[in-house]
Amino acid sequence: MTHNHEEKELFYPSGIIMYRGGVKKNDFGHDIYDGKGSLFDQEGELLFEGEFVNHMKQGNGIMYLKGQLIYQGEFIQNKKQGHGILYKDGHIHYEGHFRNDLMDGYGVLYYEEEVIRPYQTLRAQYPHLNQPQYEGDFVHGMKKGKGKQYYPNGFLQYEGDFIWHHMQGAGKLYYPTESPTAEELARGVTNLYYEGHFFEDLKHGKGKVYSRDGILEAEGQFKEDMMTGQGTLYYANGQASYIGDLVQGKKHGRGDYYNEEGKIIYSGEFINDERLRITPEVEQEIAKLQKQLDSLVGLPNAKKELHNLINFIKIQSLRVDHGLTSFPITYHLVFSGNPGTGKTTVARIIGQIYKHLGVLSSGHFVETDRAGLVAGYVGQTALKVQEVVNKAKGGVLFIDEAYSLINDKQDAFGKEAIDSLLKAMEDLRDDLVIIVAGYTELIEDFLQSNPGFKSRFNHFVQFDNFSTDELYDIFAMLCQTNDYQFGEAFAQHMKTQLRHMPIETIPNFSNGRYIRNLFEKLVTIQSNRLIQQATISREELMTFEEQDILQGIAEKLFDNTF
C-alpha cells in the first residue's frame, strides 16, 4: 500500500506522545493519521498499533487497554471488521469474523481460564478435549445459526441451531459428563440425550430422549423442557410401553398402555402417570349414576345393556391390574324405538358413566340431527361434521333420527356426512362415542344402507313403548318433581284414561312426551280454575283436584295430545 505521508510524532497538550507514525495533511492542512502508526492514551499507554487510512484504523492492527492486549486483527473505518482475535485478561476470548465491531460470521468463543482450570489435568491427558466454549456462527455479537457448544471439560454438549445465544431450532444435546466411560473419553462426547427442537435452551417441539446407555426412551412433543402433548414411551427392548397424551413428562389424558411383548393392556384415561382406576371414590360416582338410571321408569333393555357394559369394563380393569390384556370393544350404540322413551336421558347418563370408567375423557353430551350435520353445498358438509365432532370429542355425540341422513341412494349430502362421521370414528376411536337413535324400522334400514357404518355398532338397545302403568308412574314423577300433588279420585281417573289408550296401535306414539304434554295441559286447566278465586293458598297451588281431570276428559285431552 502506498501512502502520501511522512513519519511524524504528535503530542497531547501535556507533552505526552499521542501518536507516532505516518501522517498526511488533509484539505484544511491538519495532520491526520495515515499509514502505519501507534496511538497512545494520555498516560502514555499504548492504545493501538497498526494501519490507518484518513485518520481511521483500517487494515491490520492491535488494540490495547491499560497495557493489556484486547484485540488483534482487521479494521475498516475504525471498526473491527474481518478476521480478528479478541482477548480477555490476557487470554483469547474469541477468534473469528467481525462486522461493525461485533462478532459476526463464523467464530470460536473460549471459556475463561477460571472456568476450565478444574479440568486442566483432564484436558492435558486427553488433548482432543481442549475445546472452546462454542464454535459456529455469530450475528451482531451473539450465537446465531449453526454451531457446537462444549462443556467446560471439553466434552461436546450441544450441536445444532442457535438464536441470540440460545439453543433454538433443531439440535442434539448430549449427557452431562460426571462419569464418562472410557469410550466416551476417547470420543470426547457422551451419549446422545436429546435430539429434536429447542426454544431458549429448553426442549420444545418434536424430539426424542435417550437413556444414558443410548436406548430410545421417549419421543413426541415437548414443551418447556418436559414432554407435553402426544408422545410415545419405550421399554428397554424397544417396544412402546405407552402411546398417548403426556403432561410435564407424565402420562395424563388419553393413551394406550402395552406390555413388553407389544400387547395392548389398557386403553383409556391416565391421570398423573397412573391409568384411571376404579377407586372407591369412582365406584361411588358410578353407583350414583346407576341409581339414577335405575330410578327411571321402565327401560329394562337399556338398564340391562348398560349394566352389562359397566361389568365388562370393570372386569377389564381388573385384568390390567394383573398384567393381562384388556379386550378392546367399540362403545358406540344404537338406540331404537318410538320418541319419548328416554333415549336422550339414558345417553346423557352413559356419557358420565363412561367418563368415570375411563372410556371417555369428559363424558359431555352433544345432540345433533341431519340439520346439524348436513350443509347446503357439497364439500361444506364435511366441515360441518368436523365442527360438531370436535365439539363432541371426549364425550357422547347423540344423533337423533339418524336415518334422515340418508334420504335415498342419490343423497350426496347425506353420504358425505356419513363418510365424514366414519372418518371421525376412526380418528377419535379412543375418545368419542356415537349413539344413533330413531324409529326401530327406519334405523335398521339406515344401518343396512352403509355396511361401514353398521360394522362400528355392536350394541343395540330397544326402547319399547311404556306400559300404561309406567306412563302413570311418569306422570306421578313429574308431579313430584314440579311440586304438584293429587288425591285418590284424580289418580283413579288418570289410570282409567291411560288404560283405555291403544298405545300399541297409535303410530309413533310419543310415550314420555305424551305424558309431559298431558301434564302441562292439566296445569293450564288448574291455573284457569284457580285464577277465579279471590285468594289462593299454597296447598291449592300444589293440588290437582278431581274437577281438573274431569275437565280434561270433557275436553278430550287424552285423545288430542298425541
Side-chain angles (χ1 to χ4, degrees):
M1 185 181 294
T2 302
H3 299 276
N4 181 20
H5 65 261
E6 59 178 315
E7 296 294 318
K8 196 170 184 179
E9 289 185 341
L10 303 176
F11 297 89
Y12 288 105
S14 63
I16 294 174
I17 189 167
M18 178 173 65
Y19 174 78
R20 180 187 297 121
V23 298
K24 71 176 182 179
K25 299 290 185 181
N26 64 12
D27 294 340
F28 301 99
H30 300 138
D31 289 323
I32 59 173
Y33 316 143
D34 195 83
K36 289 187 177 180
S38 299
L39 189 65
F40 302 86
D41 66 15
Q42 295 189 40
E43 280 75 44
E45 296 277 3
L46 182 62
L47 287 175
F48 174 82
E49 57 183 347
E51 296 180 352
F52 290 87
V53 173
N54 292 328
H55 214 63
M56 291 185 290
K57 306 180 196 77
Q58 185 139 329
N60 288 307
I62 302 173
M63 289 183 66
Y64 299 88
L65 182 64
K66 297 190 181 299
Q68 279 202 332
L69 175 65
I70 61 171
Y71 175 78
Q72 69 179 103
E74 296 177 291
F75 290 84
I76 294 180
Q77 294 185 345
N78 268 344
K79 294 182 178 180
K80 296 185 284 289
Q81 186 145 325
H83 188 269
I85 301 173
L86 196 64
Y87 295 85
K88 187 174 182 180
D89 298 328
H91 300 281
I92 296 178
H93 176 63
Y94 170 82
E95 182 176 7
H97 200 270
F98 287 81
R99 181 182 175 86
N100 289 329
D101 257 351
L102 297 171
M103 300 176 291
D104 199 302
Y106 183 83
V108 180
L109 188 67
Y110 295 89
Y111 279 110
E112 296 180 19
E113 284 295 306
E114 60 266 24
V115 175
I116 62 172
R117 189 171 293 119
Y119 309 102
Q120 292 291 18
T121 302
L122 182 67
R123 283 173 173 256
Q125 186 178 358
Y126 299 93
H128 61 279
L129 293 180
N130 285 316
Q131 298 292 349
Q133 177 189 348
Y134 170 82
E135 57 181 338
D137 296 328
F138 289 81
V139 175
H140 298 318
M142 291 188 282
K143 290 174 279 191
K144 185 179 180 186
K146 297 288 184 184
K148 292 182 179 181
Q149 188 163 281
Y150 296 84
Y151 289 108
N153 59 12
F155 277 84
L156 180 62
Q157 179 188 18
Y158 170 84
E159 57 183 336
D161 295 329
F162 287 81
I163 294 181
W164 310 133
H165 271 329
H166 293 292
M167 297 181 292
Q168 190 155 317
K172 297 179 179 180
L173 184 66
Y174 297 89
Y175 268 98
T177 57
E178 287 80 5
S179 303
T181 64
E183 183 185 350
E184 289 172 337
L185 278 167
R187 289 189 291 119
V189 58
T190 53
N191 280 334
L192 180 64
Y193 165 50
Y194 173 80
E195 179 179 16
H197 287 81
F198 293 79
F199 182 79
E200 293 187 350
D201 297 330
L202 301 177
K203 297 184 288 290
H204 194 99
K206 194 173 183 180
K208 297 179 180 180
V209 169
Y210 297 85
S211 72
R212 191 66 179 80
D213 298 325
I215 298 171
L216 180 63
E217 289 187 329
E219 64 179 322
Q221 291 295 321
F222 287 76
K223 183 178 181 182
E224 297 178 353
D225 230 27
M226 303 288 284
M227 282 196 78
T228 298
Q230 279 288 311
T232 303
L233 307 180
Y234 293 93
Y235 290 110
N237 66 1
Q239 168 61 45
S241 65
Y242 173 81
I243 301 175
D245 296 328
L246 295 113
V247 175
Q248 294 187 340
K250 294 182 178 181
K251 298 185 285 289
H252 193 94
R254 306 294 297 178
D256 297 328
Y257 173 66
Y258 301 81
N259 64 17
E260 292 189 59
E261 287 72 48
K263 287 185 177 181
I264 188 166
I265 298 297
Y266 171 77
S267 179
E269 278 293 298
F270 287 79
I271 298 176
N272 291 326
D273 232 20
E274 294 288 335
R275 69 176 179 82
L276 187 63
R277 298 176 183 273
I278 302 176
T279 63
E281 292 77 15
V282 171
E283 188 72 70
Q284 193 173 27
E285 291 301 318
I286 294 172
K288 287 180 184 176
L289 290 164
Q290 283 183 301
K291 184 177 180 181
Q292 184 180 341
L293 177 69
D294 292 338
S295 68
L296 297 175
V297 174
L299 311 178
N301 296 325
K303 292 173 182 176
K304 179 182 177 182
E305 181 66 26
L306 195 51
H307 283 301
N308 289 344
L309 282 170
I310 291 170
N311 293 339
F312 174 87
I313 296 168
K314 286 181 178 179
I315 291 300
Q316 296 308 305
S317 180
L318 288 174
R319 286 176 59 86
V320 175
D321 288 340
H322 290 278
L324 300 172
T325 303
S326 63
F327 181 72
I329 65 168
T330 176
Y331 296 99
H332 305 300
L333 295 141
V334 177
F335 285 179
S336 57
N338 282 337
T341 46
K343 295 188 288 292
T344 304
T345 302
V346 172
R348 290 181 186 275
I349 296 173
I350 283 177
Q352 289 304 301
I353 289 178
Y354 277 176
K355 171 191 173 182
H356 291 296
L357 289 171
V359 174
L360 294 172
S361 58
S362 67
H364 66 285
F365 180 85
V366 174
E367 183 174 3
T368 191
D369 54 17
R370 179 184 172 94
L373 296 171
V374 175
Y377 300 95
V378 173
Q380 292 184 339
T381 291
L383 298 175
K384 199 169 185 180
V385 171
Q386 187 61 47
E387 183 180 344
V388 174
V389 165
N390 287 338
K391 186 178 177 183
K393 181 183 177 182
V396 169
L397 176 59
F398 183 82
I399 306 176
D400 198 14
E401 298 182 351
Y403 43 78
S404 64
L405 287 175
I406 300 292
N407 288 325
D408 54 55
K409 292 182 179 180
Q410 282 72 46
D411 186 357
F413 301 112
K415 184 179 183 301
E416 185 181 358
I418 294 296
D419 291 342
S420 300
L421 284 169
L422 283 169
K423 185 178 185 304
M425 292 170 81
E426 180 62 29
D427 294 344
L428 301 173
R429 60 185 178 275
D430 293 330
D431 203 17
L432 176 69
V433 166
I434 293 181
I435 299 177
V436 295
Y439 296 115
T440 304
E441 296 79 9
L442 295 175
I443 206 76
E444 289 278 355
D445 294 341
F446 163 70
L447 292 172
Q448 292 294 339
S449 70
N450 191 305
F453 206 50
K454 183 181 180 182
S455 66
R456 286 166 170 78
F457 293 90
N458 61 0
H459 297 287
F460 294 80
V461 183
Q462 175 65 36
F463 285 73
D464 295 325
N465 286 335
F466 291 112
S467 68
T468 53
D469 288 342
E470 288 170 342
L471 292 174
Y472 174 82
D473 291 339
I474 293 172
F475 180 82
M477 287 181 64
L478 281 171
C479 289
Q480 183 180 4
T481 302
N482 294 280
D483 295 327
Y484 282 90
Q485 62 188 15
F486 51 83
E488 184 59 31
F490 183 98
Q492 288 303 320
H493 286 298
M494 176 63 70
K495 290 176 181 178
T496 299
Q497 291 300 313
L498 290 175
R499 284 169 185 162
H500 288 159
M501 293 285 298
I503 294 172
E504 297 304 326
T505 61
I506 299 174
N508 304 326
F509 179 59
S510 62
N511 289 280
R513 297 178 194 174
Y514 169 80
I515 291 298
R516 175 170 287 279
N517 291 337
L518 196 66
F519 171 78
E520 291 175 357
K521 290 183 178 181
L522 284 168
V523 168
T524 301
I525 289 172
Q526 184 232 36
S527 301
N528 291 336
R529 172 175 56 82
L530 291 176
I531 203 69
Q532 306 299 322
Q533 300 177 192
T535 60
I536 307 171
S537 67
R538 183 177 187 275
E539 186 76 12
E540 288 173 320
L541 288 169
M542 296 174 59
T543 305
F544 285 124
E545 298 292 352
E546 183 180 12
Q547 58 184 301
D548 295 326
I549 197 166
L550 290 174
Q551 179 66 32
I553 293 170
E555 294 179 4
K556 298 189 181 299
L557 198 62
F558 288 85
D559 298 326
N560 299 327
T561 304
F562 307 133

